[in-house]
Amino acid sequence: MKNVLIINAHHYYPFSEGKLNAALIEKADAFFQAKGYQTRVVNTQDEFNVETELENHQWADIVFLQSPINWMGMTWSFKKYMDEVYTAGMGGALCHGDGRHQDNPKANYGKGGTLNNTQYMMSLTLNAPAESFADAADFFEGKSVDDLVFPMHMNFKFFGMQGLPTFACYDVMKNADIDSDFARFEKHLNENF
């Protein structure tokens, strides 16, 4: 049986209450449980205990991060979670420092991860339309969503984790197609688990 830590990184705003992210988490949780996985769901806006969250990461075979993209990055409540939990994990719970050793301080940066048997998947919601990524002449200059969240990929890699393909819902505030997004989400989960 596999263990899945599901992280809800939504940050509430009156114009963005988090209903879509909550629905995707509910669907992911039901999907994993139907497959026989054990799940734990954490909301980064809630109070959390750092030691419990470190244990959650060590327990997990899969970390599933559900997050909106705010100002081209992660929400500040998830950033706070990372700053507190991930920094506390550098003593061996998530990694052994930055992987370097005093005998050769220039080598092995980012190679100290202790979650080498853990996978992660990001599921993202964006106001930007998908077309704004595909066109080199458009806003994102032809870069992908994974290019946009490259720092998150590096954070997980820092802990030795292996990435699974990212899922994204686009144009969710002005041109949402929720039924299609939910169908694509279910297909994405079935293709990867």
Side-chain angles (χ1 to χ4, degrees), residues 65 86 120 122 152-161:
L65 174 64
Y86 292 176
Y120 72 91
M122 287 187 274
M152 275 311 306
H153 286 296
M154 291 299 97
N155 287 334
F156 288 131
K157 183 178 180 180
F158 200 81
F159 302 139
M161 299 164 74

Side-chain angles (χ1 to χ4, degrees), residues 19-29 64 66 123-125 167 169 181-182 185 189:
K19 293 177 184 174
L20 176 57
N21 284 279
L24 290 165
I25 284 174
E26 189 176 296
K27 288 181 177 301
D29 192 25
F64 182 89
Q66 179 64 54
S123 174
L124 309 171
T125 57
F167 177 80
C169 296
D181 287 339
F182 286 165
F185 185 65
L189 291 177

Side-chain angles (χ1 to χ4, degrees), residues 2-3 57-63 113-120 159-162:
K2 289 193 174 184
N3 300 327
H57 279 75
Q58 292 172 318
W59 167 85
D61 298 299
I62 300 158
V63 174
T114 58
L115 301 181
N116 298 305
N117 295 319
T118 305
Q119 296 177 302
Y120 72 91
F159 302 139
M161 299 164 74
Q162 292 81 46

